Amino acid sequence: MRDKDCIFCKISAGEIPSNTIYEDEEFRVILDLAPASKGHALIIPKEHAADIYEIEEELAGRAMKLAKRMAVHMTEVLGCEGFNILQNNHEVAGQTVFHFHMHLIPRYRNAKNEDILVWNHETFSPEEMEQIRDALKQD
Ligand code: AMP
Ligand code: ZN
């Protein structure tokens, strides 16, 4: 399914040019227009789903398998020293394009953005942690 107003539908279909580094029947992988690091790329499924809640489970699995392959390939080519795989859902979590995508972010020591993804820790009491655990626990 396509969303006619969605920029990533248009990019993944090749209707808007992109710096594509991989393409198959289901996915296009492009360089991010505003990269956090050298080689920052996005895995975009061609099928429109807004986010992790909407995407079909099997397709999400195949996206992760592709992320694994891309991470190995990109690390070999770029010589990066680490790698983040990131996926944002909803505005509060930093999502700005509402078509599911995975960020592939090569990491380099002493890079401009060395501290991306560093967050302040929150504190919860042992009782609160037990409540959270019990609420989330699944059989
Ligand atoms: P997110 O904040 O997780 O929704 O990520 C959206 C990402 O898409 C951002 O890193 C943008 O820089 C990137 N982006 C937006 N438009 C384009 C585009 N036309 N081509 C490549 N990357 C884009
Ligand atoms: Zn879309």
Side-chain angles (χ1 to χ4, degrees), residues 7-8 11 16 18 30-35 40 42 88 94-98 101 103:
I7 185 164
F8 279 8
I11 288 175
I16 293 179
S18 62
I30 67 167
L31 295 183
D32 196 296
L33 208 56
H40 180 176
L42 303 170
N88 299 326
Q95 188 176 11
T96 59
V97 177
F98 298 92
H101 53 280
H103 292 261

Side-chain angles (χ1 to χ4, degrees), residues 131-139:
Q131 280 174 8
I132 296 164
R133 179 200 65 204
D134 290 345
L136 292 176
K137 205 163 185 178
Q138 292 195 303
D139 297 328

Side-chain angles (χ1 to χ4, degrees), residues 1-3 6-10 12 45-49 98-100:
M1 209 189 72
R2 291 270 313 269
D3 178 331
C6 173
I7 185 164
F8 279 8
C9 279
K10 290 176 183 151
S12 61
K46 294 183 175 179
E47 173 107 3
H48 181 86
F98 298 92
H99 174 130
F100 177 97

Side-chain angles (χ1 to χ4, degrees), residues 7-131:
I7 185 164
F8 279 8
C9 279
K10 290 176 183 151
I11 288 175
S12 61
E15 290 164 15
I16 293 179
S18 62
N19 286 312
T20 297
I21 60 172
Y22 176 83
E23 185 183 5
D24 62 23
E25 277 183 10
E26 282 191 309
F27 301 100
R28 186 185 287 268
V29 184
I30 67 167
L31 295 183
D32 196 296
L33 208 56
S37 71
K38 181 181 165 190
H40 180 176
L42 303 170
I43 295 180
I44 306 177
K46 294 183 175 179
E47 173 107 3
H48 181 86
D51 50 38
I52 193 72
Y53 306 109
E54 275 192 12
I55 192 171
E56 189 243 320
E57 193 174 305
E58 294 298 322
L59 182 58
R62 292 194 291 278
M64 185 47 113
K65 284 176 91 168
L66 177 56
K68 148 70 182 179
R69 293 205 309 271
M70 293 303 302
V72 170
H73 167 68
M74 291 167 70
T75 299
E76 276 174 12
V77 172
L78 295 165
C80 56
E81 292 145 303
F83 212 95
N84 291 115
I85 296 171
L86 177 69
Q87 199 275 310
N88 299 326
N89 300 282
H90 291 183
E91 204 175 335
V92 71
Q95 188 176 11
T96 59
V97 177
F98 298 92
H99 174 130
F100 177 97
H101 53 280
M102 294 171 81
H103 292 261
L104 303 172
I105 309 178
R107 300 299 300 269
Y108 309 87
R109 285 190 203 289
N110 303 315
K112 190 174 170 187
N113 276 330
E114 203 174 3
D115 60 356
I116 48 174
L117 305 181
V118 175
W119 53 79
N120 295 316
H121 296 267
E122 290 209 42
T123 309
F124 298 96
S125 68
E127 295 75 26
E128 286 173 317
M129 292 295 274
E130 284 174 14
Q131 280 174 8

